[in-house]
Structure formats: C-alpha cells, structure tokens
Amino acid sequence: MAELIALSPAGAALPKRIGAVTLTEAPFAPMTGISPHAGEVAQVSAALEAAHGLALPGPGRMLSGAGIEVLWFGRNRWLLIGAAPGDGLAAHAALTDQSDAWVSVIVQGAAGVDVLARLVPVDLRPRAFAEGSVIRTELFHMPAAIARTGAEDLRVMCFRSMAGTLVHDLVTAAEAVAARG
Amino acid sequence: MRLSCPICGERDRREFHYGGAALERPAPEAGAAAWDAYLHLRENPAGRSRELWYHESGCTAWLVVERDTVTHEIHGVTLAAGGR
Ligand SMILES: [Zn+2]
C-alpha cells in the first residue's frame, strides 16, 4: 500500500518569530463539528461530559481538559478538538469530521493583540477577551474563529484552503507592528 | 454602524448581511392580495423599520433589527428564531 505523506496546512511557512510575536501552526488534532438536534442541547452536553469529561460551553466560551478542547462555534454549533467523538453523541447531534478542514495558527506574545487588531474588527485585549473566550468573526474578509487559550496565546482558525493567505496576512501585520518598535 | 447580536454582543457592521424587511408570512389560505403584498410590496420608510440581518461572519443567527433609517439609531435586536 502506498505510504502517504501528511502535509500540514501551513507547511514550511511556519513557525516564524517576528518582533515579539511567534506564529506557530497547531499540531494536527482530530476535530468534530457538533450540531445538536432541535431541543437536544442538554442531552448532547450530558453525552459529551460522560464521554470526554467536558460539558458544552455557553456562547463565546471554550472548555479544555486533558488534551481535549470544546469550543462554542456558532449558533447551536460546537467543535470538539483532540479526540474522536465518544459514544452517545451521534444519537442527539449531527457530527461532521472537520479534522482536515481548518488551519490553526497559535499567535503568541503580548503584542499578538496588536497584530490581530489590524485584521479583526473585535477587541481581543485580555480585559475584553479573557482566557477561555471564543469568537466567530472575520479576519481580513476571511471567515475565522479565534480563541484565547492563554494569557498571551491566541488560537486563530481559518478554512484550510486559505492557509497561505492567513499566514501572509498575519506575517504582514506582525511585521508592521514590529516596525513600530 | 454596530449591531448588538443577542448571542455575540456588539459587533461591527461588516460582520452582518442585510436580509430585507422583516415581514409576517401570510397563512397559506390568506388569499392572492395578501400574498401579492408579501412577495412584492414594500414600504420605504423614512424612520423606524423592521429588518432582517444575518450575522454572517459571527454566530450565523438571523436577527430582527429595529432601525431608524434616518438616524441609523438601533432600537432593538432580537433572534429571528425566537428562543429556538
Ligand atoms: Zn452573532
């Protein structure tokens, strides 16, 4: 059988350190979109907790456990990262494998908010966007999801087909921020 | 212009897509005149209007927005689907 070579969405374009900001591609992890059937959010949350130890977070929030994250991902939608969906979820929700659908870039450093301020129309400073916050928004006209995973860590997700554009936009913005000194 | 999405909070206009007037859909047996008005006849108010907006880049909810077309003042934003 042919040996297939796994390629990450951003490939050799990352990692990069620009000024005080580091851009790194998040390691590959299984991802599953979870859309509860009408009126079955509570059942899905219970099934998720039984299988993975995490309930469904409220709008704009994420929860993380041992190697697993659950992100609110839009109206009546969530994203499970880091594990295949456990038993019991499929009975109450539509599940879609999105493992290869996204490019995820970790923007690290206190100046990360200044970089994203040039690309995103939402205030991402810690006092407005605390740890564990998630938004769906747009990044330079591209659909995006952004999560604050640490005090100085932001996870930026765009569609995989736009990985090259995302890296280009982040690098251009980071260079402009770094040039200001 | 900024809209306060009931799910996401206050967001920039560029995240939203305009979806036309927010109308009450007539009953199937309401008759030709009611359906003609629903499909084709629109008010063009200088003042308060009820509009549909789609939070396209955000949570993807459809919203009913009460907006003043003269001042752009927003009087209310609710989920088009109600509590569902
Ligand atoms: Zn929204």
Side-chain angles (χ1 to χ4, degrees):
Chain A
M1 197 171 147
E3 280 287 312
L4 301 179
I5 301 166
L7 298 175
S8 79
L14 296 180
K16 263 193 165 63
R17 185 170 176 83
I18 301 161
V21 173
T22 309
L23 306 175
T24 324
E25 186 168 16
F28 175 84
M31 294 184 193
T32 306
I34 301 173
S35 296
H37 298 159
E40 297 187 16
V41 171
Q43 288 93 317
V44 174
S45 193
L48 191 73
E49 200 155 12
H52 302 288
L54 297 173
L56 291 178
R61 302 295 301 169
M62 65 176 284
L63 293 170
S64 40
I68 290 176
E69 294 170 308
V70 185
L71 282 68
W72 173 87
F73 225 53
R75 177 174 174 259
N76 202 42
R77 269 186 298 160
W78 285 266
L79 187 72
L80 172 66
I81 303 178
D87 294 338
L89 283 169
H92 301 289
L95 305 178
T96 51
D97 183 3
Q98 308 210 0
S99 307
D100 293 305
W102 297 86
V103 52
S104 300
V105 177
I106 311 297
V107 179
Q108 239 166 348
V113 290
D114 302 324
V115 173
L116 285 164
R118 291 170 178 249
L119 303 168
V120 175
V122 181
D123 187 355
L124 298 178
R125 290 173 295 178
R127 68 177 167 212
F129 192 67
E131 208 170 319
S133 300
V134 181
I135 48 162
R136 296 300 304 265
T137 183
E138 58 162 60
L139 187 149
F140 228 56
H141 309 292
M142 293 187 293
I146 300 172
R148 179 172 289 286
T149 51
E152 296 190 350
D153 297 359
L154 294 162
R155 180 189 183 116
V156 180
M157 300 173 68
C158 282
F159 298 146
R160 183 191 178 114
S161 58
M162 296 166 175
T165 307
L166 173 65
V167 172
H168 174 265
D169 291 345
L170 287 171
V171 167
T172 305
E175 285 173 349
V177 168
R180 292 177 67 91
Chain B
M1 188 173 111
R2 291 168 77 80
L3 291 174
S4 283
C5 171
I7 296 176
C8 304
E10 194 184 89
R11 294 293 185 87
D12 191 86
R13 183 285 170 240
R14 82 190 80 165
E15 290 191 1
F16 299 89
H17 184 84
Y18 177 66
L23 305 170
E24 298 303 328
R25 189 186 178 91
E29 65 281 359
W35 276 95
D36 178 61
Y38 174 70
L39 288 172
H40 302 297
L41 303 181
R42 291 293 172 272
E43 300 293 333
N44 186 19
R48 281 212 187 197
S49 68
R50 262 182 107 243
E51 304 166 340
L52 290 171
W53 288 78
Y54 179 47
H55 198 182
E56 188 174 23
S57 306
C59 62
T60 70
W62 279 94
L63 310 173
V64 176
V65 176
E66 273 194 65
R67 185 174 70 94
D68 192 306
T69 59
V70 176
T71 63
H72 296 304
E73 195 177 344
I74 306 294
H75 293 284
V77 183
T78 52
L79 293 173
R84 284 180 289 135

